[in-house]
Amino acid sequence: MKSVKITSFEAENVKRVKAVQFSPAADGLTIIGGRNDQGKTTILDSIAWTLGGERFRPSSAVRDGSVTPPMTRIVLSNGLVVQRSGKNGSLKVTDPSGKQAGQQLLNTFVEQLALNLPKFMSSGDGEKAATLLRVIGLEDQIRELDRQEKELYSQRHAIGQIADQKKKYAKELPSFADAPKEPVSALELIQKQQEILYRNGENQRKRERAAQMEQRRQDLARRLSELEEEYAAVCQDCETAQKNALDLLDESTDELEQSLFDIETINKKVAANQEKARAEMEAKTYFEQYERLAQQLESIRAERIALLDKAPLPLPGLSVENGKLTYQGKSWDCMSGSGQLKVATAIVRALNPACGFVLLDKLEQMDLDTLREFGAWMEEEGLQGIATRVSTGGECSIIIEDGRELASPEIDWGKVEF
């Protein structure tokens, strides 16, 4: 199905227009030129009203001072003739066979944003991006990826904050290198003390035994003459007992007594070291979660890029990044005015391929080189553009002066001075 374009346009007594009639070029730009306040924008408003319906109706359609009601007439490339006339701007749509229709038929092939391009251009970043995604059929998929990315980003942000807090907390906690790894048990220390005291008691009993044997030896010595043999045996026992006693060393309980005395201080140090270790481990765990979430975010972003790379974009270089429309890597507010117009025109055209035209106001923002490039691009795309420009130069297709068509030169870009 070929896209529908405007074959001819005429209007009388609409806003600033007295009488205008012209046939726009089928492809590329038809530029309506003239000084300010001559009726250029009124022509675009009239086309929008004629094809778009009541939502585009001017608040005061009748030209000031006119006694004749307003009239507009558009012939379309599909053979339809669309006319509005009378005080109320009654619509009449006639096909080549003479059969009449209404606004509902026009709505099937006339894209509303083609009649009101500024509406798209002034919409928010998110709305522009959503429009592009709707055109290429990825709106639901990208919206779901955006939802996942937003959720993961929030999780990662929260995890990152907790990890930083844990790390800071662990860093501020005291640490004691001289403390043992586990708390000291008072019961164990007492048991060790009792064991040492028991062993010392045994040593004391052995000493007492040695003393007794010494006493016995002395007693036997006095009776040595009588008990020579017994004395010799006792001497031997005594010598053995003394040797055993000499090898014995008493263990000190000073260290254990000091440990019992310092047990509370030691255990506080142990608890502090354990708390620091726990805090450091928690911080490490949260940082690991943060890294995993960051990897998931990168995966989602890569999936989005892959989807957009494969999509049938209406203009090479278009994309959606972080919920915003971009063109050649630039967001909307960083594009040139001509770049914005090109992007808007391409997207609006793609919204309804059956609509082969678009209305463009105030192209004086483009220099002549850019204007020529823009017109050539539209011609290559087979798109009809009807535009206004504050100018009376050779780039203009027609000139409007005081609401009338002053001239309708055939534009020859080769002769336009740049």
Side-chain angles (χ1 to χ4, degrees):
M1 176 181 176
K2 289 186 176 181
S3 59
V4 179
K5 300 177 183 179
I6 296 173
T7 303
S8 68
F9 168 79
E10 58 183 293
E12 295 179 3
N13 299 316
V14 182
K15 293 175 68 175
R16 289 185 176 277
V17 167
K18 294 178 181 177
V20 171
Q21 181 179 1
F22 67 92
S23 295
D27 297 322
L29 283 174
T30 296
I31 298 177
I32 304 167
R35 300 187 308 277
N36 287 322
D37 298 327
Q38 299 301 304
K40 302 183 300 300
T41 301
T42 295
I43 293 175
L44 300 188
D45 292 344
S46 299
I47 295 173
W49 177 32
T50 304
L51 298 178
E54 288 301 308
R55 73 179 66 183
F56 294 98
R57 179 188 180 91
S59 58
S60 180
V62 183
R63 180 176 63 83
D64 289 344
S66 174
V67 296
T68 305
M71 184 281 295
T72 63
R73 185 174 184 271
I74 293 177
V75 178
L76 298 171
S77 60
N78 60 0
L80 291 180
V81 178
V82 185
Q83 183 173 330
R84 286 192 183 273
S85 60
K87 183 178 179 180
N88 296 322
S90 299
L91 174 65
K92 181 180 179 182
V93 181
T94 309
D95 68 15
S97 66
K99 185 178 179 180
Q100 294 189 4
Q103 186 65 50
Q104 188 173 359
L105 175 61
L106 298 178
N107 291 341
T108 62
F109 60 82
V110 175
E111 171 54 46
Q112 296 293 311
L113 288 176
L115 304 175
N116 188 10
L117 198 62
K119 181 178 180 180
F120 174 84
M121 298 182 71
S122 62
S123 62
D125 289 333
E127 191 173 348
K128 289 187 184 74
T131 302
L132 173 60
L133 295 175
R134 187 163 65 251
V135 167
I136 60 180
L138 293 179
E139 187 175 16
D140 292 340
Q141 290 171 275
I142 297 297
R143 183 186 293 114
E144 175 59 21
L145 288 175
D146 286 343
R147 185 195 67 76
Q148 293 178 21
E149 180 179 1
K150 185 177 181 181
E151 183 176 320
L152 283 172
Y153 181 84
S154 297
Q155 291 179 17
R156 189 187 69 165
H157 180 69
I159 291 295
Q161 286 184 319
I162 295 173
D164 287 336
Q165 292 171 358
K166 293 291 184 182
K167 185 177 180 180
K168 183 179 179 182
Y169 174 69
K171 187 176 180 180
E172 292 174 349
L173 288 174
S175 178
F176 303 95
D178 60 337
K181 293 183 178 180
E182 298 296 332
V184 178
S185 169
L187 178 61
E188 289 180 2
L189 290 177
I190 291 171
Q191 287 176 342
K192 288 181 179 180
Q193 182 189 38
Q194 289 176 344
E195 289 172 1
I196 291 173
L197 291 174
Y198 174 78
R199 288 195 296 273
N200 289 347
E202 287 295 308
N203 291 345
Q204 183 61 32
R205 283 192 291 275
K206 289 178 180 179
R207 291 189 188 96
E208 291 175 354
R209 172 66 177 166
Q212 289 173 359
M213 293 304 298
E214 176 63 24
Q215 183 64 44
R216 177 68 175 163
R217 186 183 68 82
Q218 291 176 4
D219 291 343
L220 290 175
R222 285 192 294 267
R223 300 181 340 182
L224 183 59
S225 58
E226 299 174 0
L227 302 170
E228 190 76 30
E229 292 180 3
E230 183 179 357
Y231 174 76
V234 171
C235 284
Q236 187 176 2
D237 290 343
C238 180
E239 184 179 355
T240 302
Q242 286 179 339
K243 286 181 180 180
N244 289 339
L246 287 174
D247 292 336
L248 295 175
L249 292 175
D250 288 347
E251 296 180 54
S252 174
T253 63
D254 292 345
E255 184 178 347
L256 287 173
E257 290 173 357
Q258 185 62 41
S259 295
L260 282 170
F261 180 78
D262 294 336
I263 188 170
E264 185 175 353
T265 302
I266 293 172
N267 286 345
K268 284 182 178 179
K269 291 181 178 181
V270 171
N273 287 350
Q274 291 177 339
E275 177 63 20
K276 186 178 183 71
R278 279 194 297 271
E280 289 173 344
M281 181 58 68
E282 286 181 352
K284 181 182 178 182
T285 300
Y286 279 107
F287 276 116
E288 289 172 351
Q289 291 182 36
Y290 182 90
E291 289 301 321
R292 285 196 297 271
L293 290 171
Q295 292 173 3
Q296 292 178 39
L297 278 173
E298 288 303 316
S299 176
I300 286 175
R301 289 165 182 166
E303 184 178 351
R304 182 192 295 105
I305 291 171
L307 281 172
L308 292 171
D309 285 345
K310 296 176 182 177
L313 294 167
L315 186 65
L318 277 177
S319 186
V320 174
E321 299 175 15
N322 298 320
K324 293 184 178 181
L325 178 72
T326 63
Y327 177 52
Q328 295 180 344
K330 294 182 179 179
S331 57
W332 182 265
D333 59 339
C334 294
M335 298 178 199
S336 64
S338 60
Q340 290 177 346
L341 271 175
K342 189 173 182 179
V343 168
T345 302
I347 292 175
V348 167
R349 194 268 183 90
L351 279 172
N352 188 352
C355 184
F357 64 88
V358 64
L359 306 184
L360 304 151
D361 199 14
K362 299 177 181 178
L363 289 197
E364 59 269 12
Q365 62 182 298
M366 292 188 185
D367 58 42
L368 292 177
D369 282 332
T370 305
L371 189 65
R372 179 173 59 181
E373 292 172 3
F374 183 60
W377 173 75
M378 292 194 70
E379 190 169 354
E380 290 173 2
E381 293 293 315
L383 186 59
Q384 180 186 62
I386 302 175
T388 66
R389 178 178 172 87
V390 179
S391 172
T392 57
E395 77 275 16
C396 299
S397 306
I398 63 172
I399 306 296
I400 301 297
E401 185 176 296
D402 193 25
R404 293 184 181 276
E405 178 186 356
L406 184 64
S408 299
E410 283 293 327
I411 187 167
D412 185 352
W413 286 104
K415 295 181 180 180
V416 175
E417 295 183 3
F418 296 100

